[in-house]
Amino acid sequence: MDGQPVTPRGYRSVARNMGLKDGEDDFAAVVSEVPARSAAVFTRSRFAGPSVLLSRTAAARQSSRGMVVLSRNANVATGRAGAAHAEEVRRRVAEIAGVDPEDLVIGSTGVIGRPYPIESIRAGMDELSWPFPEADFDAAAKAIMTTDTHPKCFSVRCGPAVLTGIAKGVGMIEPNMATLLAFFFTDADIPADALDAIFRRVVDRTFNALSIDTDTSTSDTAAVFANGLAGPVDHAGFEAALYACALHLVRMIAADGEGAGKLIEVRVTGARDDAQAKRVGKSVVNSPLVKAAVHGGDPNWGRVAMAVGKLEDETDIEPARVRISFGDLPMHPEEPGDALLARAAAYLSGDEVVIGVDLGIAEGAFTVYGCDLTEGYVKINADYTT
Amino acid sequence: MDGQPVTPRGYRSVARNMGLKDGEDDFAAVVSEVPARSAAVFTRSRFAGPSVLLSRTAAARQSSRGMVVLSRNANVATGRAGAAHAEEVRRRVAEIAGVDPEDLVIGSTGVIGRPYPIESIRAGMDELSWPFPEADFDAAAKAIMTTDTHPKCFSVRCGPAVLTGIAKGVGMIEPNMATLLAFFFTDADIPADALDAIFRRVVDRTFNALSIDTDTSTSDTAAVFANGLAGPVDHAGFEAALYACALHLVRMIAADGEGAGKLIEVRVTGARDDAQAKRVGKSVVNSPLVKAAVHGGDPNWGRVAMAVGKLEDETDIEPARVRISFGDLPMHPEEPGDALLARAAAYLSGDEVVIGVDLGIAEGAFTVYGCDLTEGYVKINADYTT
């Protein structure tokens, strides 16, 4: 298992500009040459857009063989025209690739409530022809970016197979069931039911453990495609590989959070159960005051205590039993002196910050990922559409 | 009912510097000359400090006659010494005023996890003597400030009586049962049970409808004192007066949110019930993306849709029935054109922004209050303790 630039067999892709971004690629399609098994999870937003609605139906068949994505425009809250456009884009790409429309997952990401420049997209699709070139996952990862500052693509080996994941997402991110957009492609041969179970377990510990800003996108989609060309793989090994790949992408997304300067990892232990640990971790990693203190390198551990304490329904959390640390440096209940606070400030000035919270109740544990809150986040989001 | 500088009869106060702030007043006490009835609500944080614990016991008697507050240091997570200090401060002030310690509510606000400079506080208290001067509520409001940019004090008449409220709070504010610190003093004569019921109803629609940054303080305390010197009042009239006073303070707090440039009011209507309307309002007013868009004057109503949609458990919310507006300007589902978006941008450039969300389900309604998210919030909180 490593991060070398190897790619799974049998995938073809194309990335183009179709008039949504200024010149940069804003369209990507990746399709397996042969039938594939698949699993997918989606946003649970009540405002989920037509792309998510179409893809849910396709995903239920567990045999999608690829995806098509348009970025910079989410095609959400765009009425009947938006629904018709999503269907048209998927149908046209499927026609070109010679597959069934329901074999394709369609993803959208970007501004909500604006119609597609559909004429320009139609003209762009007319220039496509099958076979697409051999898959270029880096180019696909780049085409699906919005305010990301760099593409997110990672590959791992798993026995005879290779697994490549691409993802995007830097704002409006507290996914539930998936992150904004993440796609995994493998040539492993693995039964659909096993693939689905493994994928959901991995997503729960990776993408669902990520929060940039507590906002949940209307377009979250994560899918895995397995075309089997490399032959059977050990399931535990495949799960480990998928977890490693997903975690790497999650850490890349957190570190590239809108305006972010630091990756924050909150490791909660000693909880009643894993679910409580996750609630505590989310409360800490989502606290704007904790995030701002980390940004400023301020060892203000009292804000971590505040963020734990505000979960008022967790009545088994006793302040005196809670232990709080920055990296290996104990803060509470040790009442750190100036020397220790100075070391903590130095620690917080690094690029990756681990906040430890042990609740002292039982063995539940969960780790969540996020980023600091900076002036840059505000600047990026103060005039996004205008 | 008006905002003229009148004060209720029979209250005395003192404000001093006792070494917590650099020179500014950081200590305030307000005490009724005669016994009073009272009601109070507090933070539900699991990390509530000793001041809250002491005041809860006092509040249960419904006959507190005043308060004492130290600001700039929350005296939270300070162990046994912190608990002893809180008790000592309250006991000493009660002794000077000739009242029972349980007649006083004690409030604290500021940094968490730092011991009090207790010697300097003792020296300061030694200089106090009863009777305090006639109450100066503006001075008390100033002494309880932390990062507030101006004191928050407001008076209303209620028949023969006067009601004066003071409050502070600009960060770590999404109260539940109370805001950071808010105190109301009246000379109305009103039975304790009625006072308690009225106070809780008013707090629910005012302080509990306020969110600056989703973080809940460990020190939230709100109390009302009624010494009866002006004689009986009409209860409905008193509730209206208390509501007007509390709402005015809430709007002052929201507009003075850390780094804030604008007051945001989210009016949710057409909900299944008021509780659902409140959840929707909180989701919108807490969304960092909505807050940043308002800051930038960006009519990005899609983010309001996103914030409604992320309440995934509200399965009766149908996107097509939801109406979203900025002031009187309809945004969704009207698909506003460029002219309307330009008017919306102009509207959002004002100091007060009303976001309307009608869910189209039933008659439930709730209005919540917050502020925009600015670079200033991040700057203030990046290096608060260092």
Side-chain angles (χ1 to χ4, degrees), chain B residues 134-164:
Chain B
E134 196 176 326
D136 181 344
F137 292 105
D138 285 318
K142 191 148 185 287
I144 67 176
M145 287 169 32
T146 48
T147 50
D148 302 65
T149 65
H150 54 264
K152 291 154 191 88
C153 180
F154 193 67
S155 295
V156 292
R157 291 179 195 277
C158 174
V162 171
L163 171 72
T164 295

PDB file of all heavy atoms in Angstrom, chain B residues 134-164:
ATOM      1  N   GLU B 134     -26.808  55.480  44.988  1.00  0.00           N
ATOM      2  CA  GLU B 134     -28.002  55.140  44.204  1.00  0.00           C
ATOM      3  C   GLU B 134     -27.565  54.446  42.910  1.00  0.00           C
ATOM      4  O   GLU B 134     -26.546  54.812  42.319  1.00  0.00           O
ATOM      5  CB  GLU B 134     -28.773  56.433  43.873  1.00  0.00           C
ATOM      6  CG  GLU B 134     -30.197  56.188  43.417  1.00  0.00           C
ATOM      7  CD  GLU B 134     -30.948  57.509  43.204  1.00  0.00           C
ATOM      8  OE1 GLU B 134     -30.675  58.473  43.957  1.00  0.00           O
ATOM      9  OE2 GLU B 134     -31.765  57.564  42.278  1.00  0.00           O
ATOM     10  N   ALA B 135     -28.350  53.481  42.473  1.00  0.00           N
ATOM     11  CA  ALA B 135     -27.891  52.609  41.380  1.00  0.00           C
ATOM     12  C   ALA B 135     -27.531  53.375  40.115  1.00  0.00           C
ATOM     13  O   ALA B 135     -28.307  54.204  39.629  1.00  0.00           O
ATOM     14  CB  ALA B 135     -28.957  51.570  41.082  1.00  0.00           C
ATOM     15  N   ASP B 136     -26.359  53.059  39.564  1.00  0.00           N
ATOM     16  CA  ASP B 136     -25.902  53.581  38.275  1.00  0.00           C
ATOM     17  C   ASP B 136     -25.804  52.381  37.332  1.00  0.00           C
ATOM     18  O   ASP B 136     -24.785  51.698  37.279  1.00  0.00           O
ATOM     19  CB  ASP B 136     -24.549  54.263  38.453  1.00  0.00           C
ATOM     20  CG  ASP B 136     -24.014  54.846  37.142  1.00  0.00           C
ATOM     21  OD1 ASP B 136     -24.532  54.458  36.068  1.00  0.00           O
ATOM     22  OD2 ASP B 136     -23.074  55.661  37.198  1.00  0.00           O
ATOM     23  N   PHE B 137     -26.920  52.131  36.616  1.00  0.00           N
ATOM     24  CA  PHE B 137     -26.975  50.916  35.796  1.00  0.00           C
ATOM     25  C   PHE B 137     -26.030  50.990  34.604  1.00  0.00           C
ATOM     26  O   PHE B 137     -25.519  49.970  34.149  1.00  0.00           O
ATOM     27  CB  PHE B 137     -28.420  50.655  35.346  1.00  0.00           C
ATOM     28  CG  PHE B 137     -29.319  50.278  36.492  1.00  0.00           C
ATOM     29  CD1 PHE B 137     -30.238  51.182  37.013  1.00  0.00           C
ATOM     30  CD2 PHE B 137     -29.222  49.019  37.067  1.00  0.00           C
ATOM     31  CE1 PHE B 137     -31.057  50.825  38.073  1.00  0.00           C
ATOM     32  CE2 PHE B 137     -30.037  48.655  38.129  1.00  0.00           C
ATOM     33  CZ  PHE B 137     -30.956  49.571  38.646  1.00  0.00           C
ATOM     34  N   ASP B 138     -25.803  52.207  34.079  1.00  0.00           N
ATOM     35  CA  ASP B 138     -24.850  52.327  32.968  1.00  0.00           C
ATOM     36  C   ASP B 138     -23.452  51.904  33.407  1.00  0.00           C
ATOM     37  O   ASP B 138     -22.746  51.197  32.687  1.00  0.00           O
ATOM     38  CB  ASP B 138     -24.811  53.773  32.453  1.00  0.00           C
ATOM     39  CG  ASP B 138     -26.045  54.104  31.624  1.00  0.00           C
ATOM     40  OD1 ASP B 138     -26.458  53.244  30.823  1.00  0.00           O
ATOM     41  OD2 ASP B 138     -26.590  55.207  31.797  1.00  0.00           O
ATOM     42  N   ALA B 139     -23.063  52.330  34.620  1.00  0.00           N
ATOM     43  CA  ALA B 139     -21.739  51.953  35.119  1.00  0.00           C
ATOM     44  C   ALA B 139     -21.657  50.447  35.352  1.00  0.00           C
ATOM     45  O   ALA B 139     -20.636  49.816  35.058  1.00  0.00           O
ATOM     46  CB  ALA B 139     -21.441  52.700  36.421  1.00  0.00           C
ATOM     47  N   ALA B 140     -22.748  49.860  35.850  1.00  0.00           N
ATOM     48  CA  ALA B 140     -22.756  48.406  36.064  1.00  0.00           C
ATOM     49  C   ALA B 140     -22.653  47.675  34.723  1.00  0.00           C
ATOM     50  O   ALA B 140     -21.911  46.696  34.584  1.00  0.00           O
ATOM     51  CB  ALA B 140     -24.020  47.990  36.808  1.00  0.00           C
ATOM     52  N   ALA B 141     -23.408  48.164  33.724  1.00  0.00           N
ATOM     53  CA  ALA B 141     -23.372  47.531  32.396  1.00  0.00           C
ATOM     54  C   ALA B 141     -21.966  47.605  31.806  1.00  0.00           C
ATOM     55  O   ALA B 141     -21.507  46.686  31.127  1.00  0.00           O
ATOM     56  CB  ALA B 141     -24.380  48.209  31.463  1.00  0.00           C
ATOM     57  N   LYS B 142     -21.259  48.692  32.089  1.00  0.00           N
ATOM     58  CA  LYS B 142     -19.900  48.855  31.571  1.00  0.00           C
ATOM     59  C   LYS B 142     -18.935  47.906  32.285  1.00  0.00           C
ATOM     60  O   LYS B 142     -18.054  47.317  31.653  1.00  0.00           O
ATOM     61  CB  LYS B 142     -19.466  50.316  31.769  1.00  0.00           C
ATOM     62  CG  LYS B 142     -18.205  50.702  31.071  1.00  0.00           C
ATOM     63  CD  LYS B 142     -18.262  52.182  30.649  1.00  0.00           C
ATOM     64  CE  LYS B 142     -17.041  52.570  29.840  1.00  0.00           C
ATOM     65  NZ  LYS B 142     -15.830  52.692  30.656  1.00  0.00           N
ATOM     66  N   ALA B 143     -19.122  47.753  33.592  1.00  0.00           N
ATOM     67  CA  ALA B 143     -18.190  46.918  34.358  1.00  0.00           C
ATOM     68  C   ALA B 143     -18.267  45.442  33.981  1.00  0.00           C
ATOM     69  O   ALA B 143     -17.290  44.710  34.111  1.00  0.00           O
ATOM     70  CB  ALA B 143     -18.454  47.092  35.859  1.00  0.00           C
ATOM     71  N   ILE B 144     -19.430  44.992  33.520  1.00  0.00           N
ATOM     72  CA  ILE B 144     -19.552  43.559  33.209  1.00  0.00           C
ATOM     73  C   ILE B 144     -19.124  43.226  31.776  1.00  0.00           C
ATOM     74  O   ILE B 144     -19.128  42.069  31.367  1.00  0.00           O
ATOM     75  CB  ILE B 144     -20.986  43.026  33.471  1.00  0.00           C
ATOM     76  CG1 ILE B 144     -22.013  43.636  32.513  1.00  0.00           C
ATOM     77  CG2 ILE B 144     -21.401  43.278  34.924  1.00  0.00           C
ATOM     78  CD1 ILE B 144     -23.430  43.054  32.675  1.00  0.00           C
ATOM     79  N   MET B 145     -18.711  44.221  30.983  1.00  0.00           N
ATOM     80  CA  MET B 145     -18.288  43.976  29.602  1.00  0.00           C
ATOM     81  C   MET B 145     -16.986  43.164  29.519  1.00  0.00           C
ATOM     82  O   MET B 145     -16.134  43.256  30.383  1.00  0.00           O
ATOM     83  CB  MET B 145     -18.034  45.317  28.880  1.00  0.00           C
ATOM     84  CG  MET B 145     -19.287  46.090  28.542  1.00  0.00           C
ATOM     85  SD  MET B 145     -19.014  47.808  27.980  1.00  0.00           S
ATOM     86  CE  MET B 145     -17.469  47.751  27.126  1.00  0.00           C
ATOM     87  N   THR B 146     -16.852  42.369  28.472  1.00  0.00           N
ATOM     88  CA  THR B 146     -15.548  41.770  28.157  1.00  0.00           C
ATOM     89  C   THR B 146     -15.100  42.330  26.803  1.00  0.00           C
ATOM     90  O   THR B 146     -14.499  43.385  26.762  1.00  0.00           O
ATOM     91  CB  THR B 146     -15.612  40.219  28.132  1.00  0.00           C
ATOM     92  OG1 THR B 146     -16.724  39.801  27.350  1.00  0.00           O
ATOM     93  CG2 THR B 146     -15.747  39.682  29.546  1.00  0.00           C
ATOM     94  N   THR B 147     -15.415  41.608  25.685  1.00  0.00           N
ATOM     95  CA  THR B 147     -15.044  42.162  24.373  1.00  0.00           C
ATOM     96  C   THR B 147     -16.177  42.996  23.769  1.00  0.00           C
ATOM     97  O   THR B 147     -16.107  43.363  22.600  1.00  0.00           O
ATOM     98  CB  THR B 147     -14.646  41.048  23.378  1.00  0.00           C
ATOM     99  OG1 THR B 147     -15.664  40.050  23.380  1.00  0.00           O
ATOM    100  CG2 THR B 147     -13.322  40.423  23.774  1.00  0.00           C
ATOM    101  N   ASP B 148     -17.222  43.275  24.528  1.00  0.00           N
ATOM    102  CA  ASP B 148     -18.275  44.195  24.071  1.00  0.00           C
ATOM    103  C   ASP B 148     -17.631  45.523  23.691  1.00  0.00           C
ATOM    104  O   ASP B 148     -16.684  45.967  24.347  1.00  0.00           O
ATOM    105  CB  ASP B 148     -19.273  44.491  25.201  1.00  0.00           C
ATOM    106  CG  ASP B 148     -19.935  43.244  25.768  1.00  0.00           C
ATOM    107  OD1 ASP B 148     -19.213  42.427  26.358  1.00  0.00           O
ATOM    108  OD2 ASP B 148     -21.149  43.116  25.638  1.00  0.00           O
ATOM    109  N   THR B 149     -18.150  46.154  22.648  1.00  0.00           N
ATOM    110  CA  THR B 149     -17.585  47.454  22.289  1.00  0.00           C
ATOM    111  C   THR B 149     -18.324  48.602  22.960  1.00  0.00           C
ATOM    112  O   THR B 149     -17.848  49.730  22.943  1.00  0.00           O
ATOM    113  CB  THR B 149     -17.583  47.686  20.760  1.00  0.00           C
ATOM    114  OG1 THR B 149     -18.938  47.735  20.306  1.00  0.00           O
ATOM    115  CG2 THR B 149     -16.854  46.557  20.042  1.00  0.00           C
ATOM    116  N   HIS B 150     -19.522  48.332  23.527  1.00  0.00           N
ATOM    117  CA  HIS B 150     -20.234  49.372  24.280  1.00  0.00           C
ATOM    118  C   HIS B 150     -21.174  48.711  25.277  1.00  0.00           C
ATOM    119  O   HIS B 150     -21.599  47.573  25.076  1.00  0.00           O
ATOM    120  CB  HIS B 150     -20.996  50.314  23.342  1.00  0.00           C
ATOM    121  CG  HIS B 150     -21.921  49.591  22.407  1.00  0.00           C
ATOM    122  ND1 HIS B 150     -21.556  49.260  21.122  1.00  0.00           N
ATOM    123  CD2 HIS B 150     -23.168  49.112  22.566  1.00  0.00           C
ATOM    124  CE1 HIS B 150     -22.551  48.616  20.535  1.00  0.00           C
ATOM    125  NE2 HIS B 150     -23.547  48.514  21.396  1.00  0.00           N
ATOM    126  N   PRO B 151     -21.508  49.427  26.362  1.00  0.00           N
ATOM    127  CA  PRO B 151     -22.383  48.842  27.378  1.00  0.00           C
ATOM    128  C   PRO B 151     -23.811  48.695  26.853  1.00  0.00           C
ATOM    129  O   PRO B 151     -24.220  49.425  25.953  1.00  0.00           O
ATOM    130  CB  PRO B 151     -22.323  49.848  28.530  1.00  0.00           C
ATOM    131  CG  PRO B 151     -21.823  51.116  27.948  1.00  0.00           C
ATOM    132  CD  PRO B 151     -21.031  50.774  26.737  1.00  0.00           C
ATOM    133  N   LYS B 152     -24.543  47.720  27.421  1.00  0.00           N
ATOM    134  CA  LYS B 152     -25.911  47.438  26.989  1.00  0.00           C
ATOM    135  C   LYS B 152     -26.849  47.601  28.176  1.00  0.00           C
ATOM    136  O   LYS B 152     -26.861  46.761  29.078  1.00  0.00           O
ATOM    137  CB  LYS B 152     -25.983  46.034  26.412  1.00  0.00           C
ATOM    138  CG  LYS B 152     -25.237  45.948  25.100  1.00  0.00           C
ATOM    139  CD  LYS B 152     -24.721  44.579  24.769  1.00  0.00           C
ATOM    140  CE  LYS B 152     -23.777  44.678  23.587  1.00  0.00           C
ATOM    141  NZ  LYS B 152     -22.386  44.957  23.996  1.00  0.00           N
ATOM    142  N   CYS B 153     -27.616  48.679  28.168  1.00  0.00           N
ATOM    143  CA  CYS B 153     -28.511  49.013  29.270  1.00  0.00           C
ATOM    144  C   CYS B 153     -29.763  49.604  28.652  1.00  0.00           C
ATOM    145  O   CYS B 153     -29.681  50.423  27.732  1.00  0.00           O
ATOM    146  CB  CYS B 153     -27.810  50.027  30.183  1.00  0.00           C
ATOM    147  SG  CYS B 153     -28.806  50.547  31.593  1.00  0.00           S
ATOM    148  N   PHE B 154     -30.949  49.184  29.144  1.00  0.00           N
ATOM    149  CA  PHE B 154     -32.188  49.678  28.549  1.00  0.00           C
ATOM    150  C   PHE B 154     -33.275  49.683  29.613  1.00  0.00           C
ATOM    151  O   PHE B 154     -33.365  48.756  30.420  1.00  0.00           O
ATOM    152  CB  PHE B 154     -32.598  48.776  27.381  1.00  0.00           C
ATOM    153  CG  PHE B 154     -33.676  49.363  26.512  1.00  0.00           C
ATOM    154  CD1 PHE B 154     -33.445  50.482  25.743  1.00  0.00           C
ATOM    155  CD2 PHE B 154     -34.932  48.767  26.459  1.00  0.00           C
ATOM    156  CE1 PHE B 154     -34.433  51.015  24.927  1.00  0.00           C
ATOM    157  CE2 PHE B 154     -35.932  49.292  25.638  1.00  0.00           C
ATOM    158  CZ  PHE B 154     -35.672  50.417  24.874  1.00  0.00           C
ATOM    159  N   SER B 155     -34.088  50.763  29.621  1.00  0.00           N
ATOM    160  CA  SER B 155     -35.157  50.886  30.597  1.00  0.00           C
ATOM    161  C   SER B 155     -36.497  51.049  29.911  1.00  0.00           C
ATOM    162  O   SER B 155     -36.589  51.710  28.869  1.00  0.00           O
ATOM    163  CB  SER B 155     -34.911  52.102  31.505  1.00  0.00           C
ATOM    164  OG  SER B 155     -33.741  51.909  32.273  1.00  0.00           O
ATOM    165  N   VAL B 156     -37.534  50.470  30.494  1.00  0.00           N
ATOM    166  CA  VAL B 156     -38.898  50.662  30.000  1.00  0.00           C
ATOM    167  C   VAL B 156     -39.810  50.918  31.202  1.00  0.00           C
ATOM    168  O   VAL B 156     -39.546  50.454  32.313  1.00  0.00           O
ATOM    169  CB  VAL B 156     -39.430  49.437  29.212  1.00  0.00           C
ATOM    170  CG1 VAL B 156     -38.686  49.257  27.908  1.00  0.00           C
ATOM    171  CG2 VAL B 156     -39.343  48.168  30.040  1.00  0.00           C
ATOM    172  N   ARG B 157     -40.892  51.687  30.966  1.00  0.00           N
ATOM    173  CA  ARG B 157     -41.891  51.889  32.011  1.00  0.00           C
ATOM    174  C   ARG B 157     -42.956  50.813  31.889  1.00  0.00           C
ATOM    175  O   ARG B 157     -43.253  50.327  30.803  1.00  0.00           O
ATOM    176  CB  ARG B 157     -42.552  53.248  31.832  1.00  0.00           C
ATOM    177  CG  ARG B 157     -41.658  54.419  32.113  1.00  0.00           C
ATOM    178  CD  ARG B 157     -42.441  55.716  31.882  1.00  0.00           C
ATOM    179  NE  ARG B 157     -41.562  56.856  31.795  1.00  0.00           N
ATOM    180  CZ  ARG B 157     -41.077  57.504  32.866  1.00  0.00           C
ATOM    181  NH1 ARG B 157     -41.387  57.090  34.081  1.00  0.00           N
ATOM    182  NH2 ARG B 157     -40.268  58.532  32.707  1.00  0.00           N
ATOM    183  N   CYS B 158     -43.560  50.498  33.024  1.00  0.00           N
ATOM    184  CA  CYS B 158     -44.639  49.527  33.039  1.00  0.00           C
ATOM    185  C   CYS B 158     -45.618  50.009  34.099  1.00  0.00           C
ATOM    186  O   CYS B 158     -45.450  49.712  35.277  1.00  0.00           O
ATOM    187  CB  CYS B 158     -44.094  48.143  33.354  1.00  0.00           C
ATOM    188  SG  CYS B 158     -45.390  46.923  33.568  1.00  0.00           S
ATOM    189  N   GLY B 159     -46.641  50.792  33.678  1.00  0.00           N
ATOM    190  CA  GLY B 159     -47.561  51.380  34.652  1.00  0.00           C
ATOM    191  C   GLY B 159     -46.766  52.237  35.621  1.00  0.00           C
ATOM    192  O   GLY B 159     -45.952  53.077  35.198  1.00  0.00           O
ATOM    193  N   PRO B 160     -46.923  52.026  36.917  1.00  0.00           N
ATOM    194  CA  PRO B 160     -46.209  52.833  37.901  1.00  0.00           C
ATOM    195  C   PRO B 160     -44.748  52.421  38.053  1.00  0.00           C
ATOM    196  O   PRO B 160     -43.974  53.131  38.705  1.00  0.00           O
ATOM    197  CB  PRO B 160     -46.971  52.521  39.199  1.00  0.00           C
ATOM    198  CG  PRO B 160     -47.457  51.118  39.010  1.00  0.00           C
ATOM    199  CD  PRO B 160     -47.796  51.000  37.544  1.00  0.00           C
ATOM    200  N   ALA B 161     -44.389  51.290  37.471  1.00  0.00           N
ATOM    201  CA  ALA B 161     -43.058  50.727  37.705  1.00  0.00           C
ATOM    202  C   ALA B 161     -42.110  51.000  36.544  1.00  0.00           C
ATOM    203  O   ALA B 161     -42.515  51.414  35.461  1.00  0.00           O
ATOM    204  CB  ALA B 161     -43.164  49.220  37.927  1.00  0.00           C
ATOM    205  N   VAL B 162     -40.849  50.784  36.820  1.00  0.00           N
ATOM    206  CA  VAL B 162     -39.799  50.902  35.807  1.00  0.00           C
ATOM    207  C   VAL B 162     -39.026  49.590  35.791  1.00  0.00           C
ATOM    208  O   VAL B 162     -38.829  48.959  36.831  1.00  0.00           O
ATOM    209  CB  VAL B 162     -38.830  52.066  36.147  1.00  0.00           C
ATOM    210  CG1 VAL B 162     -37.618  52.048  35.220  1.00  0.00           C
ATOM    211  CG2 VAL B 162     -39.557  53.397  36.055  1.00  0.00           C
ATOM    212  N   LEU B 163     -38.602  49.191  34.595  1.00  0.00           N
ATOM    213  CA  LEU B 163     -37.797  47.973  34.447  1.00  0.00           C
ATOM    214  C   LEU B 163     -36.518  48.344  33.725  1.00  0.00           C
ATOM    215  O   LEU B 163     -36.564  48.915  32.627  1.00  0.00           O
ATOM    216  CB  LEU B 163     -38.569  46.933  33.635  1.00  0.00           C
ATOM    217  CG  LEU B 163     -37.799  45.687  33.216  1.00  0.00           C
ATOM    218  CD1 LEU B 163     -37.553  44.782  34.423  1.00  0.00           C
ATOM    219  CD2 LEU B 163     -38.544  44.941  32.118  1.00  0.00           C
ATOM    220  N   THR B 164     -35.380  48.064  34.339  1.00  0.00           N
ATOM    221  CA  THR B 164     -34.089  48.343  33.703  1.00  0.00           C
ATOM    222  C   THR B 164     -33.333  47.029  33.525  1.00  0.00           C
ATOM    223  O   THR B 164     -33.254  46.225  34.459  1.00  0.00           O
ATOM    224  CB  THR B 164     -33.241  49.275  34.578  1.00  0.00           C
ATOM    225  OG1 THR B 164     -33.899  50.542  34.662  1.00  0.00           O
ATOM    226  CG2 THR B 164     -31.847  49.472  33.981  1.00  0.00           C
TER     227      THR B 164
END
